Amino acid sequence: MRNYSKAYVLGDLRRFSGWSEFAAAEEREYADEDIVYLADDLVVLADPIREEGMLFDQITAEWREFCAVVLGFAIPDDLTYLRPGADDASAPAESRASEEPQHG
């Protein structure tokens, strides 16, 4: 299950030099103006709620860099600690502070 996704205009994602779109489950053609969703695992979906219509899943170092640098994609800080496998260091400071023993 994906925990976070952000909407983008498909034409912006297609600017990636390694973009190779495969037919989505419903076999529909997508226009540059269509809204699609970049998920936290960097897969591109037409519908992140039902996790349908996968358009792109070639997760390479170049794609990661494109998402971060060109698109500015990042999981918001207040959500990163909710991801599976996140350690305590990634939790917000106020959450960690409440877990620390009080000296006094």
Side-chain angles (χ1 to χ4, degrees):
M1 180 177 147
R2 294 170 176 89
N3 295 312
Y4 177 78
S5 59
K6 183 174 179 182
Y8 286 93
V9 175
L10 181 55
D12 290 344
L13 303 180
R14 286 176 169 165
R15 293 186 345 218
F16 175 60
S17 63
W19 183 265
S20 61
E21 196 169 303
F22 45 86
E26 59 269 323
E27 299 287 331
R28 104 167 229 231
E29 285 206 27
Y30 290 89
D32 282 346
E33 301 79 29
D34 287 336
I35 301 296
V36 296
Y37 299 86
L38 181 58
D40 55 5
D41 59 359
L42 303 182
V43 168
V44 178
L45 298 165
D47 183 345
I49 303 298
R50 293 187 299 229
E51 295 194 18
E52 295 176 351
M54 186 177 297
L55 299 174
F56 185 83
D57 70 348
Q58 305 298 309
I59 315 306
T60 63
E62 294 81 11
W63 175 243
R64 289 180 190 280
E65 181 178 352
F66 179 85
C67 292
V69 176
V70 177
L71 299 176
F73 180 81
I75 298 170
D77 290 339
D78 58 342
L79 295 180
T80 55
Y81 74 95
L82 296 175
R83 292 184 61 163
D87 61 8
D88 290 336
S90 65
E94 56 273 9
S95 295
R96 289 193 311 268
S98 66
E99 297 171 4
E100 294 175 6
Q102 300 296 318
H103 300 285

